[in-house]
Amino acid sequence: MPTSRTGRPPVQRAPRRPDASRPSPENAVQRLYTRARKAWDRPLTAYYLILGGSLLITVLGLVMVYSASQITALQMSLPGSFFFRKQFLAAAIGAVLLLIASRMPVKLHRALAYPILAGAVFLMALVQVPGIGMSVNGNQNWISLGGSFQIQPSEFGKLALVLWAADLLARKQDKKLLTQWKHMLVPLVPVAFLLLGLIMLGGDMGTAIILTAILFGLLWLAGAPTRLFVGVLSIAGLIGMILIKTSPNRMARLACIGATEPRSGGADCWQAVHGIYALASGGIFGSGLGASVEKWGQLPEAHTDFIFAVTGEELGLAGTLSVLALFAALGYAGIRVAGRTEDPFVRYAAGGVTTWITAQAVINIGAVLGLLPIAGVPLPLFSYGGSALLPTMFAVGLLIAFARDDPAARAALSMRQPRFGRKRAGGAVPARGPRRWNTMRRRAPSARSSGER
């Protein structure tokens, strides 16, 4: 046996084991995924996504409206902040409507369905009265309120259809009538066609497409049979083709899909092509806020229908992907609210609002990207236009109210305390340490102190 210099046998060292305290990359990724999954499944996730996503979209929209509308306002001999101030006023009123809608009980929402529908139909019919209705960009869909203020009643028709149809389908489901096709279609489809007819009298096919998407979304949620769904879709598609074929303007817009030159096949594709130019010149991080070139008279409707193109030019791919992510989060939260509720009215109303916002966002962004024809619809919560912003913010308030009404969300909200807590009875503060803040985690009743809720 070998010995050391001191004559002692060498010390046998145990083989070095891997440090168990240092996690492997696989374990770290797995834990991160588990934490994200738990956070995603919390009761208030949909509530925070709807509230935070809608507010971020609105605030970013205000910034981009101010940036994109300055040149247009100056060309009209108006102050540079003219359109921004009007949009800010509409956003402030919309915030009040959102707060009211989010605090209203479901029964009151259902009670307002018929008055809102009657008011929307009356205003949409009033648009066609000479001397009251006015035309903007060839569409007779506006009513002047005096000065520079106008209202587009068809935007409120979307909210009216969602609330009224949700109440109608919920009552029929309670009576088990939705298994019969006539109860599923009547009077839902005739009333929807009435609204579509009033909209098409003014020539606004973009809004009519959104209303049709809401109708099909509600029918799908109601469990319409495939043959019934396909039949109604075929009729709507046939009517749409006739309306497109009989309008040279709509045919020209259809011909501009994927155009790369301002004159494509004899059609004027100036707006569509310059929208692509704006997106292409933005790069990854954009040219900088306020540094857009296309808004200097090259891109029509830069602060309304094509504000997404100016966003891509000034904020780049990062900005546009952020906007898309916010709309995706808002759409997911709406689907989650509709899928987890037991109340049929909440399911139909949440599904209708989600269909409305996501379909309108897809149509607007698809037109800017050159993938869809230009329909003339604004980007929800983002584009300039108070008539579109007010009912949309009220609809977002509906989603917030429905998300709060979920039993798990109510329980989670009831466990929350004010940020600085409440003093215990008698005003005495225990001396056993700093106050513990309440969290979303459920605690056992035995572990709660007497003053904790």
Side-chain angles (χ1 to χ4, degrees):
M1 181 177 181
T3 60
S4 63
R5 294 180 180 179
T6 60
R8 297 177 182 178
V11 179
Q12 298 292 332
R13 297 181 179 179
R16 181 175 297 178
R17 296 181 180 180
D19 189 3
S21 62
R22 182 178 300 173
S24 62
E26 292 80 4
N27 293 336
V29 173
Q30 184 68 24
R31 285 204 305 270
L32 183 62
Y33 172 77
T34 303
R35 290 179 181 178
R37 185 71 179 269
K38 289 181 179 180
W40 197 254
D41 289 336
R42 286 181 177 178
L44 291 177
T45 297
Y47 170 75
Y48 287 128
L49 283 178
I50 296 170
L51 179 61
S54 59
L55 291 182
L56 285 174
I57 293 172
T58 305
V59 171
L60 182 58
L62 287 172
V63 174
M64 293 311 304
V65 165
Y66 180 67
S67 175
S69 65
Q70 288 181 347
I71 306 304
T72 303
L74 293 175
Q75 289 175 344
M76 299 171 63
S77 301
L78 297 171
S81 61
F82 175 78
F83 293 105
F84 168 76
R85 286 181 293 175
K86 291 183 62 177
Q87 186 74 355
F88 184 82
L89 176 61
I93 299 174
V96 175
L97 293 178
L98 185 148
L99 181 62
I100 293 174
S102 65
R103 295 293 179 176
M104 287 168 54
V106 175
K107 290 183 178 180
L108 186 54
H109 285 303
R110 299 186 69 167
L112 290 176
Y114 282 86
I116 292 178
L117 177 65
V121 171
F122 174 75
L123 291 176
M124 290 167 69
L126 203 63
V127 168
Q128 307 304 323
V129 177
I132 298 179
M134 59 180 301
S135 177
V136 177
N137 294 331
N139 292 336
Q140 184 81 13
N141 283 314
W142 298 83
I143 295 177
S144 177
L145 299 180
S148 61
F149 292 94
Q150 304 162 353
I151 186 174
Q152 187 177 3
S154 58
E155 293 291 340
F156 295 88
K158 304 172 187 175
L159 177 63
L161 178 62
V162 168
L163 286 177
W164 174 80
D167 178 69
L168 174 70
L169 293 174
R171 287 188 289 107
K172 289 196 173 188
Q173 180 173 329
D174 292 338
K175 297 178 181 179
K176 303 185 184 305
L177 297 175
L178 292 181
T179 56
Q180 306 176 29
W181 68 269
K182 60 180 180 181
H183 284 288
M184 185 174 292
L185 296 182
V186 180
L188 174 60
V189 175
V191 172
F193 275 44
L194 171 64
L195 295 175
L196 289 171
L198 291 173
I199 292 173
M200 289 308 301
L201 282 177
D204 188 3
M205 191 169 183
T207 304
I209 293 174
I210 305 301
L211 213 67
T212 305
I214 295 173
L215 173 62
F216 285 123
L218 291 169
L219 288 176
W220 182 78
L221 289 171
T226 304
R227 60 182 182 277
L228 183 63
F229 198 84
V230 172
V232 177
L233 183 61
S234 301
I235 295 174
L238 179 61
I239 295 175
M241 288 180 60
I242 294 174
L243 293 173
I244 293 175
K245 287 286 187 180
T246 55
S247 173
N249 183 33
R250 297 184 187 122
M251 287 296 297
R253 293 186 179 187
L254 195 64
C256 290
I257 297 179
T260 57
E261 297 293 335
R263 300 292 300 183
S264 177
D268 185 4
C269 302
W270 180 273
Q271 187 178 23
V273 171
H274 278 271
I276 298 296
Y277 289 168
L279 291 171
S281 60
I284 301 297
F285 298 106
S287 58
L289 191 63
S292 170
V293 175
E294 291 293 333
K295 69 183 181 183
W296 287 76
Q298 300 295 325
L299 180 64
E301 307 297 336
H303 61 297
T304 55
D305 301 345
F306 270 66
I307 194 171
F308 189 75
V310 179
T311 304
E313 185 179 5
E314 294 187 350
L315 303 183
L317 182 64
T320 55
L321 289 181
S322 299
V323 175
L324 291 176
L326 290 174
F327 276 110
L330 189 59
Y332 166 80
I335 294 174
R336 176 168 170 163
V337 170
R340 295 195 174 190
T341 183
E342 298 295 333
D343 189 337
F345 173 80
V346 173
R347 181 169 63 254
Y348 294 129
V353 171
T354 305
T355 303
W356 163 13
I357 295 177
T358 53
Q360 187 164 326
V362 167
I363 291 174
N364 177 277
I365 295 173
V368 174
L369 295 176
L371 303 175
L372 295 173
I374 299 175
V377 295
L379 189 59
L381 302 172
F382 202 84
S383 296
Y384 170 79
S387 295
L389 184 62
L390 294 181
T392 306
M393 294 193 74
F394 187 89
V396 171
L398 283 176
L399 290 179
I400 294 174
F402 299 155
R404 291 169 56 93
D405 195 57
D406 181 75
R410 284 203 306 267
L413 287 171
S414 65
M415 294 172 62
R416 296 173 59 185
Q417 290 183 349
R419 181 175 178 83
F420 297 100
R422 294 181 181 178
K423 291 185 178 181
R424 300 177 185 272
V429 179
R432 58 180 180 179
R435 188 184 301 273
R436 294 171 59 187
W437 308 120
N438 202 355
T439 64
M440 290 294 301
R441 190 175 301 170
R442 294 177 181 269
R443 301 175 182 174
S446 60
R448 296 179 182 174
S449 59
S450 60
E452 183 178 357
R453 293 187 178 181

